[in-house]
Coordinates of all heavy atoms in Angstrom, one line a residue:
I1 N -35.6 47.5 -1.7 CA -36.4 48.2 -2.7 C -36.7 47.3 -3.8 O -35.9 46.6 -4.4 CB -35.5 49.4 -3.3 CG1 -35.2 50.4 -2.1 CG2 -36.3 50.1 -4.4 CD1 -34.2 51.5 -2.6
T2 N -38.0 47.3 -4.2 CA -38.4 46.5 -5.4 C -39.1 47.4 -6.4 O -39.8 48.4 -6.1 CB -39.4 45.4 -5.0 OG1 -40.5 46.0 -4.4 CG2 -38.7 44.4 -4.0
F3 N -38.8 47.1 -7.6 CA -39.4 47.8 -8.8 C -40.2 46.8 -9.6 O -40.0 45.6 -9.6 CB -38.3 48.4 -9.7 CG -37.4 49.4 -9.0 CD1 -36.0 49.2 -8.9 CD2 -37.9 50.5 -8.4 CE1 -35.2 50.1 -8.3 CE2 -37.1 51.5 -7.8 CZ -35.7 51.2 -7.8
P4 N -41.2 47.3 -10.3 CA -41.9 46.5 -11.3 C -40.9 45.8 -12.2 O -39.9 46.4 -12.5 CB -42.9 47.4 -12.0 CG -43.0 48.6 -11.1 CD -41.7 48.7 -10.4
K5 N -41.3 44.6 -12.6 CA -40.4 43.8 -13.4 C -40.7 43.8 -14.9 O -41.9 43.7 -15.3 CB -40.5 42.3 -12.9 CG -39.5 41.3 -13.4 CD -39.7 40.0 -12.7 CE -38.7 39.0 -13.0 NZ -38.9 37.8 -12.3
I6 N -39.7 43.9 -15.7 CA -39.8 43.7 -17.2 C -38.8 42.6 -17.5 O -37.7 42.6 -17.1 CB -39.4 45.1 -17.9 CG1 -40.5 46.1 -17.6 CG2 -39.1 44.8 -19.3 CD1 -40.2 47.4 -18.3
I7 N -39.3 41.7 -18.4 CA -38.4 40.6 -18.9 C -38.1 40.9 -20.3 O -39.0 41.2 -21.1 CB -39.2 39.3 -18.7 CG1 -39.5 39.0 -17.2 CG2 -38.3 38.1 -19.3 CD1 -40.3 37.8 -17.0
I8 N -36.8 40.8 -20.6 CA -36.4 41.0 -22.0 C -36.0 39.7 -22.6 O -35.6 38.7 -21.9 CB -35.2 42.0 -22.1 CG1 -34.0 41.5 -21.3 CG2 -35.6 43.4 -21.7 CD1 -32.7 42.3 -21.5
K9 N -36.1 39.6 -23.9 CA -35.7 38.4 -24.7 C -34.2 38.2 -24.6 O -33.5 39.1 -24.7 CB -36.2 38.5 -26.1 CG -37.7 38.6 -26.3 CD -38.1 38.8 -27.7 CE -39.6 39.0 -27.9 NZ -39.9 39.4 -29.2
N10 N -33.8 36.9 -24.5 CA -32.4 36.6 -24.5 C -31.7 37.1 -25.7 O -30.5 37.4 -25.7 CB -32.2 35.1 -24.3 CG -32.5 34.7 -22.8 OD1 -32.5 35.5 -21.9 ND2 -32.8 33.4 -22.6
S11 N -32.4 37.1 -26.9 CA -31.8 37.5 -28.1 C -31.4 39.0 -28.1 O -30.5 39.4 -28.9 CB -32.7 37.3 -29.3 OG -33.9 38.0 -29.1
A12 N -31.9 39.8 -27.2 CA -31.6 41.2 -27.1 C -30.5 41.5 -26.1 O -29.9 42.7 -26.1 CB -32.8 42.0 -26.7
I13 N -30.0 40.6 -25.3 CA -29.1 40.9 -24.3 C -27.7 41.4 -24.8 O -27.2 42.4 -24.3 CB -28.9 39.6 -23.4 CG1 -30.1 39.3 -22.6 CG2 -27.7 39.7 -22.5 CD1 -30.1 38.0 -21.9
K14 N -27.2 40.8 -25.8 CA -25.9 41.2 -26.3 C -25.9 42.7 -26.8 O -25.0 43.4 -26.5 CB -25.5 40.3 -27.5 CG -24.1 40.6 -28.0 CD -23.7 39.7 -29.1 CE -22.4 40.1 -29.7 NZ -22.0 39.2 -30.9
N15 N -27.0 43.0 -27.5 CA -27.0 44.4 -28.0 C -27.2 45.4 -26.9 O -26.6 46.5 -26.9 CB -28.2 44.5 -29.0 CG -28.0 43.8 -30.3 OD1 -26.8 43.6 -30.7 ND2 -29.0 43.4 -30.9
I16 N -28.0 45.1 -25.9 CA -28.2 46.0 -24.8 C -26.9 46.1 -24.0 O -26.5 47.2 -23.5 CB -29.4 45.5 -23.9 CG1 -30.7 45.6 -24.8 CG2 -29.5 46.4 -22.7 CD1 -31.9 45.0 -24.2
K17 N -26.2 45.0 -23.8 CA -24.9 45.1 -23.1 C -23.9 45.9 -23.8 O -23.0 46.5 -23.2 CB -24.3 43.6 -22.9 CG -25.0 42.9 -21.7 CD -24.6 41.5 -21.6 CE -23.1 41.2 -21.5 NZ -22.8 39.8 -21.2
N18 N -24.0 46.0 -25.1 CA -23.1 46.8 -25.9 C -23.6 48.2 -26.1 O -23.0 49.0 -26.9 CB -22.9 46.1 -27.3 CG -22.0 44.9 -27.2 OD1 -21.2 44.8 -26.3 ND2 -22.3 43.9 -28.0
G19 N -24.6 48.7 -25.3 CA -25.0 50.1 -25.4 C -26.4 50.4 -25.9 O -26.8 51.5 -25.8
A20 N -27.0 49.4 -26.5 CA -28.4 49.7 -27.0 C -29.4 49.9 -25.9 O -29.2 49.3 -24.8 CB -28.8 48.6 -27.9
Q21 N -30.4 50.6 -26.1 CA -31.5 50.8 -25.2 C -32.5 49.7 -25.4 O -32.4 48.9 -26.4 CB -32.1 52.1 -25.3 CG -31.2 53.3 -25.0 CD -30.9 53.4 -23.5 OE1 -31.6 52.9 -22.6 NE2 -29.7 53.9 -23.2
V22 N -33.4 49.5 -24.4 CA -34.4 48.5 -24.5 C -35.6 49.0 -25.4 O -36.3 49.9 -25.0 CB -35.0 48.0 -23.1 CG1 -36.0 47.0 -23.3 CG2 -33.8 47.6 -22.3
M23 N -35.8 48.3 -26.5 CA -36.8 48.7 -27.5 C -38.0 47.7 -27.3 O -37.9 46.7 -26.7 CB -36.3 48.6 -28.9 CG -35.0 49.4 -29.2 SD -35.1 51.1 -28.8 CE -35.8 51.7 -30.4
F24 N -39.2 48.1 -27.7 CA -40.4 47.3 -27.6 C -40.3 45.9 -28.1 O -40.7 45.0 -27.4 CB -41.6 48.0 -28.1 CG -42.2 49.0 -27.2 CD1 -41.9 50.4 -27.4 CD2 -42.9 48.7 -26.1 CE1 -42.4 51.4 -26.6 CE2 -43.3 49.7 -25.2 CZ -43.1 51.0 -25.4
P25 N -39.6 45.7 -29.3 CA -39.5 44.3 -29.7 C -38.7 43.4 -28.8 O -38.8 42.2 -28.9 CB -38.9 44.4 -31.1 CG -39.2 45.8 -31.6 CD -39.2 46.6 -30.3
A26 N -37.9 44.0 -27.9 CA -37.1 43.2 -27.0 C -37.8 42.7 -25.8 O -37.4 41.8 -25.0 CB -35.9 44.0 -26.6
L27 N -39.0 43.2 -25.6 CA -39.8 42.9 -24.4 C -40.5 41.5 -24.5 O -41.1 41.2 -25.5 CB -40.9 43.9 -24.1 CG -40.4 45.4 -23.8 CD1 -41.6 46.2 -23.6 CD2 -39.4 45.4 -22.7
K28 N -40.3 40.7 -23.5 CA -40.9 39.4 -23.4 C -42.2 39.4 -22.5 O -43.2 38.9 -22.9 CB -39.9 38.4 -22.9 CG -40.5 37.0 -22.7 CD -40.5 36.3 -24.0 CE -40.8 34.8 -23.8 NZ -40.9 34.1 -25.1
D29 N -42.1 40.1 -21.4 CA -43.2 40.2 -20.5 C -43.1 41.5 -19.6 O -41.9 41.9 -19.4 CB -43.3 39.0 -19.6 CG -44.6 38.9 -18.9 OD1 -45.6 39.5 -19.3 OD2 -44.7 38.1 -17.8
V30 N -44.2 42.0 -19.1 CA -44.2 43.3 -18.3 C -45.2 43.1 -17.2 O -46.3 42.7 -17.4 CB -44.6 44.4 -19.3 CG1 -44.7 45.7 -18.5 CG2 -43.6 44.6 -20.4
D31 N -44.7 43.6 -16.0 CA -45.6 43.6 -14.8 C -46.7 44.6 -15.0 O -46.5 45.7 -15.7 CB -44.9 44.0 -13.5 CG -44.2 42.8 -12.9 OD1 -44.4 41.7 -13.3 OD2 -43.4 43.1 -11.9
K32 N -47.9 44.3 -14.4 CA -49.0 45.3 -14.5 C -48.8 46.6 -13.8 O -49.4 47.6 -14.1 CB -50.3 44.6 -13.9 CG -50.8 43.4 -14.7 CD -52.0 42.8 -14.1 CE -52.4 41.6 -14.9 NZ -53.5 40.9 -14.3
E33 N -47.8 46.6 -12.9 CA -47.5 47.9 -12.2 C -46.6 48.9 -12.9 O -46.4 49.9 -12.4 CB -46.8 47.5 -10.8 CG -47.7 46.7 -9.9 CD -47.7 45.2 -10.2 OE1 -46.7 44.7 -10.8 OE2 -48.7 44.5 -9.8
V34 N -46.2 48.5 -14.1 CA -45.3 49.4 -14.9 C -46.1 50.6 -15.3 O -47.2 50.6 -15.9 CB -44.7 48.7 -16.1 CG1 -44.0 49.6 -17.0 CG2 -43.8 47.6 -15.6
K35 N -45.5 51.8 -15.0 CA -46.0 53.1 -15.4 C -44.9 53.9 -16.0 O -43.7 53.7 -15.8 CB -46.6 53.8 -14.1 CG -47.6 53.1 -13.3 CD -49.0 53.4 -14.0 CE -50.0 52.8 -13.1 NZ -51.0 51.9 -13.8
K36 N -45.3 54.9 -16.8 CA -44.3 55.8 -17.4 C -43.6 56.5 -16.4 O -44.1 57.0 -15.4 CB -45.1 56.7 -18.4 CG -44.1 57.6 -19.2 CD -44.9 58.4 -20.2 CE -43.9 59.2 -21.0 NZ -44.5 59.9 -22.1
D37 N -42.3 56.7 -16.6 CA -41.4 57.5 -15.8 C -41.1 56.9 -14.4 O -40.7 57.7 -13.5 CB -41.8 58.9 -15.7 CG -41.8 59.7 -17.0 OD1 -40.9 59.4 -17.8 OD2 -42.7 60.5 -17.2
I38 N -41.3 55.6 -14.2 CA -40.8 55.0 -12.9 C -39.7 54.0 -13.2 O -39.5 53.5 -14.4 CB -42.0 54.2 -12.2 CG1 -42.5 53.0 -13.0 CG2 -43.1 55.2 -11.9 CD1 -43.4 52.1 -12.3
F39 N -38.9 53.7 -12.2 CA -37.8 52.7 -12.3 C -38.4 51.3 -12.4 O -39.4 51.0 -11.7 CB -36.9 52.9 -11.2 CG -36.0 54.1 -11.3 CD1 -36.2 55.2 -10.5 CD2 -34.9 54.1 -12.2 CE1 -35.4 56.3 -10.6 CE2 -34.1 55.2 -12.3 CZ -34.4 56.3 -11.5
V40 N -37.8 50.5 -13.2 CA -38.2 49.1 -13.4 C -36.9 48.2 -13.3 O -35.8 48.6 -13.6 CB -38.9 48.8 -14.7 CG1 -40.2 49.5 -14.8 CG2 -38.0 49.3 -15.9
S41 N -37.1 47.0 -12.8 CA -36.1 46.0 -12.8 C -36.2 45.2 -14.1 O -37.3 44.9 -14.6 CB -36.3 45.0 -11.7 OG -36.3 45.6 -10.4
I42 N -35.0 45.0 -14.8 CA -35.0 44.4 -16.0 C -34.4 43.0 -15.8 O -33.3 42.9 -15.3 CB -34.1 45.2 -17.0 CG1 -34.7 46.6 -17.2 CG2 -34.1 44.5 -18.4 CD1 -33.8 47.6 -17.9
Y43 N -35.1 42.0 -16.2 CA -34.7 40.6 -16.0 C -34.6 39.9 -17.4 O -35.2 40.2 -18.3 CB -35.6 39.8 -15.2 CG -35.5 40.1 -13.7 CD1 -36.1 41.2 -13.1 CD2 -34.8 39.3 -12.9 CE1 -36.0 41.5 -11.8 CE2 -34.7 39.5 -11.5 CZ -35.3 40.6 -11.0 OH -35.1 40.9 -9.6
T44 N -33.7 38.9 -17.4 CA -33.6 38.0 -18.6 C -34.7 37.0 -18.6 O -35.3 36.8 -17.5 CB -32.2 37.3 -18.7 OG1 -32.1 36.4 -17.6 CG2 -31.1 38.3 -18.7
E45 N -34.9 36.2 -19.6 CA -35.8 35.1 -19.7 C -35.4 34.0 -18.7 O -36.3 33.2 -18.3 CB -35.9 34.5 -21.1 CG -36.6 35.4 -22.1 CD -36.6 34.8 -23.4 OE1 -37.6 34.0 -23.7 OE2 -35.7 35.1 -24.3
D46 N -34.1 34.0 -18.3 CA -33.6 33.0 -17.3 C -33.8 33.5 -15.9 O -33.3 32.9 -15.0 CB -32.2 32.7 -17.6 CG -31.9 32.3 -19.0 OD1 -32.8 31.6 -19.6 OD2 -30.8 32.6 -19.5
D47 N -34.5 34.6 -15.7 CA -34.8 35.2 -14.4 C -33.6 35.7 -13.7 O -33.5 35.7 -12.5 CB -35.6 34.2 -13.5 CG -36.4 34.9 -12.5 OD1 -36.9 36.0 -12.8 OD2 -36.6 34.4 -11.3
K48 N -32.6 36.2 -14.4 CA -31.4 36.8 -13.9 C -31.6 38.3 -14.0 O -32.0 38.8 -15.0 CB -30.2 36.4 -14.6 CG -29.9 34.9 -14.5 CD -28.6 34.6 -15.2 CE -28.4 33.1 -15.1 NZ -27.2 32.7 -16.0
L49 N -31.3 39.0 -12.9 CA -31.3 40.5 -13.0 C -30.3 41.0 -14.0 O -29.2 40.8 -13.9 CB -31.0 41.1 -11.6 CG -31.0 42.6 -11.5 CD1 -32.4 43.2 -11.8 CD2 -30.5 43.1 -10.2
F50 N -30.9 41.8 -14.9 CA -30.0 42.4 -16.0 C -29.6 43.8 -15.6 O -28.5 44.2 -15.9 CB -30.8 42.3 -17.3 CG -30.0 42.8 -18.5 CD1 -29.0 42.0 -19.1 CD2 -30.1 44.1 -18.9 CE1 -28.3 42.5 -20.2 CE2 -29.3 44.6 -19.9 CZ -28.4 43.8 -20.6
G51 N -30.6 44.5 -15.1 CA -30.3 45.9 -14.8 C -31.5 46.7 -14.3 O -32.6 46.1 -14.0
I52 N -31.4 48.0 -14.2 CA -32.4 48.9 -13.8 C -32.6 50.0 -14.9 O -31.6 50.4 -15.5 CB -32.0 49.6 -12.4 CG1 -31.7 48.6 -11.3 CG2 -33.1 50.6 -12.0 CD1 -32.9 47.8 -10.9
G53 N -33.8 50.4 -15.1 CA -34.1 51.4 -16.1 C -35.3 52.2 -15.8 O -36.0 51.9 -14.8
K54 N -35.6 53.2 -16.6 CA -36.8 54.0 -16.4 C -37.7 53.7 -17.5 O -37.4 53.8 -18.7 CB -36.4 55.5 -16.4 CG -37.5 56.4 -15.9 CD -37.0 57.8 -15.7 CE -37.2 58.2 -14.3 NZ -36.9 59.5 -14.1
S55 N -38.9 53.3 -17.1 CA -40.0 53.0 -18.1 C -40.4 54.2 -18.9 O -40.6 55.3 -18.3 CB -41.2 52.3 -17.4 OG -42.2 52.1 -18.3
L56 N -40.7 54.0 -20.2 CA -41.1 55.1 -21.0 C -42.6 54.9 -21.5 O -43.0 55.4 -22.5 CB -40.2 55.3 -22.2 CG -38.7 55.7 -21.8 CD1 -37.8 55.7 -23.0 CD2 -38.7 57.0 -21.0
F57 N -43.3 53.9 -20.8 CA -44.6 53.6 -21.2 C -45.4 53.1 -20.0 O -44.9 52.8 -19.0 CB -44.6 52.5 -22.3 CG -44.1 51.2 -21.8 CD1 -45.0 50.2 -21.5 CD2 -42.7 50.9 -21.7 CE1 -44.5 48.9 -21.0 CE2 -42.2 49.7 -21.2 CZ -43.2 48.7 -20.8
D58 N -46.7 53.0 -20.2 CA -47.6 52.4 -19.2 C -48.0 51.0 -19.6 O -48.1 50.7 -20.8 CB -48.9 53.2 -19.1 CG -48.7 54.6 -18.5 OD1 -47.9 54.7 -17.5 OD2 -49.4 55.6 -18.9
Y59 N -48.2 50.2 -18.6 CA -48.6 48.8 -18.9 C -49.8 48.7 -19.8 O -49.9 47.9 -20.7 CB -48.8 48.0 -17.6 CG -49.4 46.6 -17.9 CD1 -48.6 45.6 -18.3 CD2 -50.8 46.4 -17.7 CE1 -49.1 44.3 -18.5 CE2 -51.3 45.1 -18.0 CZ -50.5 44.1 -18.4 OH -51.0 42.9 -18.7
S60 N -50.8 49.5 -19.5 CA -52.1 49.5 -20.3 C -51.8 49.7 -21.8 O -52.4 49.0 -22.7 CB -53.1 50.5 -19.8 OG -52.5 51.8 -19.9
D61 N -50.9 50.5 -22.2 CA -50.5 50.7 -23.6 C -49.8 49.5 -24.2 O -50.0 49.1 -25.3 CB -49.6 52.0 -23.8 CG -50.4 53.3 -23.5 OD1 -51.6 53.3 -23.6 OD2 -49.7 54.2 -23.1
Y62 N -49.0 48.9 -23.3 CA -48.3 47.7 -23.8 C -49.3 46.5 -24.0 O -49.3 45.8 -25.0 CB -47.2 47.3 -22.8 CG -46.6 45.9 -23.0 CD1 -45.6 45.8 -24.0 CD2 -47.0 44.8 -22.3 CE1 -45.0 44.6 -24.3 CE2 -46.4 43.6 -22.6 CZ -45.4 43.5 -23.5 OH -44.8 42.3 -23.8
K63 N -50.2 46.4 -23.0 CA -51.2 45.3 -23.0 C -52.1 45.4 -24.3 O -52.4 44.5 -24.9 CB -52.0 45.3 -21.8 CG -53.1 44.3 -21.7 CD -54.0 44.5 -20.5 CE -54.8 45.7 -20.8 NZ -56.0 45.8 -20.2
D64 N -52.5 46.6 -24.6 CA -53.4 46.9 -25.7 C -52.6 46.9 -27.0 O -53.2 47.2 -28.1 CB -54.1 48.2 -25.5 CG -55.0 48.2 -24.3 OD1 -55.4 47.1 -23.9 OD2 -55.3 49.3 -23.8
R65 N -51.3 46.7 -27.0 CA -50.5 46.6 -28.2 C -50.5 47.9 -29.0 O -50.3 48.0 -30.2 CB -50.9 45.5 -29.1 CG -50.7 44.1 -28.5 CD -49.2 43.8 -28.5 NE -49.0 42.4 -28.0 CZ -48.0 42.0 -27.3 NH1 -47.0 42.9 -27.1 NH2 -47.9 40.8 -26.9
K66 N -50.7 49.0 -28.2 CA -50.6 50.4 -28.9 C -49.2 50.7 -29.2 O -48.9 51.5 -30.0 CB -51.2 51.4 -28.0 CG -52.7 51.3 -27.8 CD -53.2 52.3 -26.8 CE -54.7 52.1 -26.6 NZ -55.2 53.1 -25.6
L67 N -48.3 50.1 -28.4 CA -46.8 50.4 -28.6 C -46.1 49.1 -29.0 O -46.0 48.2 -28.3 CB -46.3 50.9 -27.3 CG -46.9 52.1 -26.7 CD1 -46.4 52.4 -25.3 CD2 -46.7 53.4 -27.6
E68 N -45.6 49.1 -30.3 CA -44.9 47.9 -30.7 C -43.5 48.3 -31.2 O -42.7 47.4 -31.4 CB -45.7 47.2 -31.9 CG -47.0 46.7 -31.4 CD -47.7 45.9 -32.5 OE1 -47.2 45.8 -33.6 OE2 -48.9 45.5 -32.2
H69 N -43.2 49.5 -31.4 CA -41.9 50.0 -31.9 C -41.4 51.1 -31.1 O -42.2 51.8 -30.4 CB -42.0 50.4 -33.4 CG -42.6 49.4 -34.3 ND1 -41.9 48.2 -34.5 CD2 -43.7 49.3 -35.0 CE1 -42.6 47.5 -35.4 NE2 -43.7 48.1 -35.6
G70 N -40.1 51.3 -31.1 CA -39.5 52.5 -30.4 C -38.9 52.1 -29.0 O -38.9 50.9 -28.6
L71 N -38.5 53.1 -28.3 CA -37.8 53.0 -27.1 C -38.8 52.7 -25.9 O -39.8 53.4 -25.8 CB -37.1 54.3 -26.8 CG -36.1 54.3 -25.6 CD1 -35.0 53.3 -25.7 CD2 -35.5 55.7 -25.5
A72 N -38.5 51.6 -25.2 CA -39.4 51.2 -24.1 C -38.8 51.5 -22.7 O -39.6 51.9 -21.8 CB -39.7 49.7 -24.2
V73 N -37.5 51.3 -22.6 CA -36.9 51.5 -21.3 C -35.5 52.2 -21.5 O -34.8 51.8 -22.3 CB -36.7 50.2 -20.5 CG1 -35.9 50.5 -19.2 CG2 -38.0 49.5 -20.3
R74 N -35.3 53.3 -20.7 CA -34.0 53.9 -20.8 C -33.1 53.3 -19.7 O -33.4 53.4 -18.5 CB -34.1 55.4 -20.5 CG -32.8 56.1 -20.7 CD -33.0 57.6 -20.7 NE -34.2 58.0 -21.5 CZ -34.2 58.4 -22.8 NH1 -33.2 58.6 -23.4 NH2 -35.3 58.6 -23.5
I75 N -32.1 52.6 -20.1 CA -31.2 51.9 -19.1 C -30.5 52.9 -18.2 O -29.9 53.9 -18.7 CB -30.1 51.1 -19.9 CG1 -30.8 50.0 -20.8 CG2 -29.1 50.5 -18.9 CD1 -31.4 48.9 -20.1
E76 N -30.5 52.6 -16.9 CA -29.8 53.4 -15.9 C -28.5 52.6 -15.4 O -27.5 53.2 -15.2 CB -30.7 53.7 -14.7 CG -31.9 54.5 -15.1 CD -31.6 56.0 -15.4 OE1 -30.6 56.5 -14.8 OE2 -32.3 56.6 -16.2
R77 N -28.7 51.3 -15.3 CA -27.6 50.5 -14.8 C -27.7 49.1 -15.3 O -28.7 48.5 -15.1 CB -27.6 50.5 -13.3 CG -26.6 49.6 -12.6 CD -25.3 50.2 -12.3 NE -25.4 51.5 -11.6 CZ -24.4 52.3 -11.6 NH1 -23.3 52.1 -12.3 NH2 -24.5 53.5 -11.0
V78 N -26.6 48.5 -15.8 CA -26.6 47.1 -16.3 C -25.8 46.3 -15.2 O -24.7 46.8 -14.8 CB -25.9 47.0 -17.7 CG1 -25.7 45.5 -18.0 CG2 -26.8 47.7 -18.7
Q79 N -26.3 45.2 -14.8 CA -25.7 44.4 -13.7 C -25.0 43.2 -14.2 O -24.2 42.6 -13.5 CB -26.8 44.0 -12.7 CG -27.5 45.1 -12.0 CD -26.6 46.0 -11.2 OE1 -25.7 45.5 -10.6 NE2 -27.0 47.2 -11.1
I80 N -25.3 42.8 -15.5 CA -24.7 41.6 -16.0 C -23.3 41.9 -16.6 O -23.2 42.9 -17.3 CB -25.6 40.8 -17.0 CG1 -26.7 40.2 -16.2 CG2 -24.8 39.8 -17.8 CD1 -27.7 39.4 -17.1

């Protein structure tokens, strides 16, 4: 099973591991296939699988910079 990929900034890893959700400022890159309410794979900048979550946005909104603040991904499982 493969999910669209989201890359988070390394600076956000500690907070997310301690229970924070993935917010828009933590995003480094997003696959074009990301849609709202689908599962996504969350990776670090070092290309390590961090976890799985549910996207709360569409790629087109991210690309157009309509969304810069707020909750981006609801974490389902952390693997690190």
